[in-house]
Structure formats: C-alpha cells, structure tokens
Amino acid sequence: DIQMTQSPASLSASVGETVTITCRASENIYSYLAWYQQKQGKSPQLLVYNAKTLAEGVPSRFSGSGSGTQFSLKINSLQPEDFGSYYCQHHYGTPPTFGGGTKLEIK
Amino acid sequence: DVQLQESGPGLVKPSQSLSLTCSVTGYSITSGYYWNWIRQFPGNKLEWMGYISYDGSNNYNPSLKNRISITRDTSKNQFFLKLNSVTTEDTATYYCARNWDGWFAYWGQGTLVTVSA
C-alpha cells in the first residue's frame, strides 16, 4: 500500500494567518491526491481533488499544489470556520489510503 | 442532492459479525459511481474498507479481504457492510461514501460501532 505522511500533526494559528499543510506519498502518485476537512463529530468534507482542483463550494482561500510525492494545502487568511482536522488521501488505484491528519487549532 | 445515512447496532461482541446499512437518497445506486465503506479508528486514522459498484461488482481492501462483504438491495437503494470475526480492533466510526474517480465527495454522518463483551 502507498503510505501517506502528513506534517505537521498539529498546528496552532490565528485568524487571518496563512498556513500550509504538507503531505508526502511513499511513491509517485502523479496528481492523484485529495484533501479533506473534518470538524469534530462530523464526517470529512472534500476540499481538493487531483491535487489542485477545488471541490464545489470550497472558498478560494484554499489551494492545493504538488505532484509526484510532495503535496501541500495552503489556507490564506484563516477564518474561524477553518479550524478542525485536515487529511490527505491518494486516489491512485486501490487501496486508497489517508494521511494521519493535521489538527489546526486556534492560537 | 445525494444523501447517505448509516444505521446499525452500536455494540457488537467479539467474534461476532458487524452489520451496517447505508441508505441512499437522491441518487440510484445502480445509476453510477462506487459505493464505499470507510472507517475511522479512535485516534482518527481513516481506512478504506471496500466498495460495491453501480454494476454490483466489489473491490475490497486486501487487509480485510477474508472478513468483509459488501452487498446491496437495489429495491431499497441500500448497500450493506458485513465484517466477520470482529475484535476490539474493529471499534471505529463507520462511514459510507460515494466516489468515482477516487475521491470521496459524499459521506454519511457516520455511526460508532464498539466491539466489547
């Protein structure tokens, strides 16, 4: 299976700041990467797929980049509703696997 | 808009089978897409378990291959998860989700299943 490694595991930031979360794949997954946001007690919500395509309804302050084995999710001008956990997931064949998550907290 | 809803027992005894139902509204499960089960363990690790396709074919995570079965009832627009010989390691929140090109755009709200005597 392809291993997905996220960093950092946790992150503390203030409203208005810009943050970046990274995800590394154990082998080349081209651009087959998705990002999700999860709030406490809720299901994950799709943010980005194909590494850089925003899902419908996702604000433009979110952006995804990368290819191959290195990817990142950038959030510009953090809003209060952006705090929660973020997960990457490769969609290059099966089984799809997820990163361990990044918990974004309010400073 | 498509909606998915999980249901089933919240407590299962070790060595027994775990059975869950995903009820889908707003889209026929025979019209397209793959219909998946994903679980999230305490500590938040996510694991894809498998899917049943719109045409009835299956694909399972090899880590579960001998214990898992995903079936459907097209008349009720539901699909089901059965996981045999559960242990406490199978305690998790179970989600059903829809995908096509590999990403999961629609998820149910999840149901917590605890395996305990």
Side-chain angles (χ1 to χ4, degrees):
Chain A
D1 297 359
I2 298 172
Q3 305 304 312
M4 306 302 295
T5 304
Q6 281 183 242
S7 61
S10 63
L11 180 59
S12 181
S14 301
V15 172
E17 286 189 28
T18 295
V19 299
T20 300
I21 299 167
T22 64
C23 180
R24 176 170 51 86
S26 61
E27 61 185 78
N28 186 359
I29 59 169
Y30 301 91
S31 293
Y32 296 108
L33 186 95
W35 290 96
Y36 301 85
Q37 177 194 64
Q38 186 178 31
K39 302 288 185 66
Q40 187 69 31
K42 301 292 187 181
S43 57
Q45 299 296 306
L46 180 68
L47 294 174
V48 173
Y49 59 93
N50 289 341
K52 61 179 183 180
T53 303
L54 290 185
E56 185 175 351
V58 175
S60 59
R61 63 180 179 272
F62 290 89
S63 63
S65 63
S67 65
T69 61
Q70 299 280 353
F71 301 87
S72 62
L73 177 70
K74 184 178 180 181
I75 314 173
N76 289 313
S77 187
L78 276 170
Q79 298 300 300
E81 60 269 27
D82 298 337
F83 295 93
S85 293
Y86 291 82
Y87 296 89
C88 62
Q89 173 235 325
H90 84 79
H91 51 93
Y92 182 57
T94 61
T97 54
F98 294 82
T102 296
K103 187 172 185 179
L104 177 57
E105 298 177 312
I106 301 174
K107 185 181 287 184
Chain B
D1 207 11
V2 61
Q3 294 189 10
L4 299 92
Q5 171 97 35
E6 306 87 351
S7 60
L11 180 64
V12 180
K13 288 182 170 25
S15 80
Q16 294 188 345
S17 294
L18 179 162
S19 293
L20 296 175
T21 298
C22 183
S23 300
V24 180
T25 57
Y27 193 86
S28 170
I29 62 172
T30 62
S31 292
Y33 297 100
Y34 300 124
W35 303 91
N36 298 259
W37 288 98
I38 297 166
R39 61 182 178 177
Q40 187 167 34
F41 299 103
N44 295 323
K45 177 183 176 182
L46 287 156
E47 179 183 64
W48 173 77
M49 302 180 72
Y51 68 67
I52 186 164
S53 174
Y54 66 95
D55 64 3
S57 61
N58 291 110
N59 189 6
Y60 300 132
N61 192 320
S63 68
L64 299 168
K65 194 141 191 163
N66 294 329
R67 297 199 293 139
I68 189 173
S69 175
I70 299 176
T71 58
R72 64 181 183 174
D73 184 336
T74 57
S75 68
K76 295 182 178 179
N77 214 38
Q78 296 175 327
F79 63 104
F80 312 102
L81 170 69
K82 186 176 182 181
L83 187 65
N84 297 320
S85 305
V86 297
T87 71
T88 56
E89 304 291 302
D90 293 308
T91 293
T93 296
Y94 287 76
Y95 295 98
C96 54
R98 187 185 91 171
N99 80 327
W100 176 248
D101 282 332
W103 57 87
F104 302 97
Y106 294 94
W107 298 63
Q109 87 286 352
T111 187
L112 175 63
V113 178
T114 301
V115 179
S116 174

